[in-house]
Amino acid sequence: MGKQTTYQLLSAETMWSQVQMWAWTVWNYILLYILGAWYMLKELTATHHTPSGLVSQKGRVAIVTGGGRGIGLETVKQFLQLDMTVVVAGRHVPFLEASVAGLRDGGLTSGEARCMELDLTSMASVRKFAADFLALRCPLHILVNNAGIMFWPRELTEDGNEAHWSVNYLGHFLLTHLLLPCLQANRPTTTTIASRVVNLTSSVHYMGSINFEDPNSRQHYNPQAAYAQSKLAQMMFTITLDELVSGQGVMVNAVHPGVVATQLFQHVAWATYFPWLARTFLKTPRQGCDTVIYCSLSPNVTHGGGYYENCTPTAPATYATRKELRDQLWKLSCQQLEIKVFGEK
């Protein structure tokens, strides 16, 4: 075979690969917007449910990642109104402190807030945050893994992880591993309830799959697929972790907060160029945090391993329930983070 023929074959293969990538990208866009339109219609026509029967939570401690804005800040606000101690975790402590000060300026006087640095793009930062929190020697009753990014341009973290994978999933996996003994220390009694882990996933997890050979999207990158993968992983993690801690005083559930108008939409073209559409048709951060609060505090939530929308248990993607895939993801995650036994040093 001559050099020219070989070159022609390679060019044809390259062109076919590019066509496949283009088709895959377009298909992800189509799936995403069909799913998004369905959920917007669903939320516009359904009655919004709010948690009820909540009482003072004085003496209880919660951590909220990404607590400086959006759903995270509204969750912090609701916890403080119930007189909790809240650790507000995020990348920039001055910004977190300004956000909490805004709540105080608005007349909120109950509860206690402490702002601490947590950068989920850095596993070293996650480990430092956990160590700093444990050094406070205070209990931990609720961990809300809220922080997230959506549809970001390709970015690798200092650890070599794709940004969605790191922020939305892997960093929270590590954080929960490091804090699990603290959560387990609060054994429920006749007058207290189990500690709770609430993972924020998304309805987009329905269109996701896990690329076990290349979870960091080094070969091919699509922001919609990367986001869907990270949120599917969070859902799968929820089910597996709840099975692991069953009977140990910890309950783990996942929440789709709704299609909420927050800064997550900064990389969504229509929401950027037509913000009035987002304000008109999307849920507010206050509405978005209602299911988070429900799963964090409601006595009506008695089992873990669930997926909740609008304060209602809902069936997750079938992919997320397949044990062999969940076990494979668990093994991969522990390998990436060099965890020998989850929850143990």
Side-chain angles (χ1 to χ4, degrees), residues 256-321:
H256 166 58
V259 187
V260 183
T262 69
Q263 287 197 338
L264 271 182
F265 280 81
Q266 63 183 297
H267 293 294
V268 178
W270 69 265
T272 301
Y273 293 111
F274 305 102
W276 62 270
L277 279 175
R279 291 192 298 268
T280 302
F281 294 107
L282 304 189
K283 284 188 175 183
T284 65
R286 174 66 184 84
Q287 291 172 319
C289 85
D290 281 335
T291 305
V292 179
I293 298 298
Y294 179 76
C295 287
S296 298
L297 299 175
S298 176
N300 295 324
V301 179
T302 57
H303 296 87
Y307 168 64
Y308 285 79
E309 295 179 357
N310 197 16
C311 298
T312 304
T314 307
T318 302
Y319 190 109
T321 65

Side-chain angles (χ1 to χ4, degrees), residues 138-141 179-188 195 248-250:
C138 68
L140 176 62
H141 303 94
L179 297 179
L180 184 60
C182 196
L183 289 159
Q184 291 172 319
N186 307 300
R187 293 288 181 175
S195 298
Q248 299 179 25
V250 181

Side-chain angles (χ1 to χ4, degrees), residues 30-49:
I30 292 171
L31 280 179
L32 177 69
Y33 280 98
I34 289 174
L35 184 66
W38 162 247
Y39 264 85
M40 287 177 65
L41 178 63
K42 180 179 176 181
E43 292 175 0
L44 285 169
T45 57
T47 301
H48 178 74
H49 297 154

Side-chain angles (χ1 to χ4, degrees), residues 152-283:
W152 275 31
R154 177 173 171 77
E155 178 183 330
L156 290 179
T157 69
E158 65 183 43
D159 303 290
N161 297 309
E162 189 276 320
H164 291 91
W165 188 250
S166 181
V167 175
N168 296 350
Y169 171 61
L170 202 63
H172 285 131
F173 187 99
L174 177 60
L175 180 64
T176 308
H177 156 69
L178 297 170
L179 297 179
L180 184 60
C182 196
L183 289 159
Q184 291 172 319
N186 307 300
R187 293 288 181 175
T189 67
T190 54
T191 58
T192 61
I193 61 176
S195 298
R196 302 190 185 189
V197 177
V198 179
N199 293 323
L200 269 76
T201 181
S202 166
S203 60
V204 178
H205 89 275
Y206 285 112
M207 60 173 277
S209 62
I210 307 297
N211 186 344
F212 290 105
E213 299 302 318
D214 184 22
N216 288 310
S217 308
R218 292 179 180 275
Q219 292 186 344
H220 304 295
Y221 181 72
N222 174 273
Q224 289 74 30
Y227 177 71
Q229 175 183 248
S230 69
K231 289 303 185 179
L232 174 62
Q234 193 75 319
M235 184 67 245
M236 296 166 75
F237 169 49
T238 297
I239 299 172
T240 306
L241 178 59
D242 191 72
E243 290 177 349
L244 178 69
V245 299
S246 178
Q248 299 179 25
V250 181
M251 199 161 55
V252 190
N253 282 298
V255 165
H256 166 58
V259 187
V260 183
T262 69
Q263 287 197 338
L264 271 182
F265 280 81
Q266 63 183 297
H267 293 294
V268 178
W270 69 265
T272 301
Y273 293 111
F274 305 102
W276 62 270
L277 279 175
R279 291 192 298 268
T280 302
F281 294 107
L282 304 189
K283 284 188 175 183

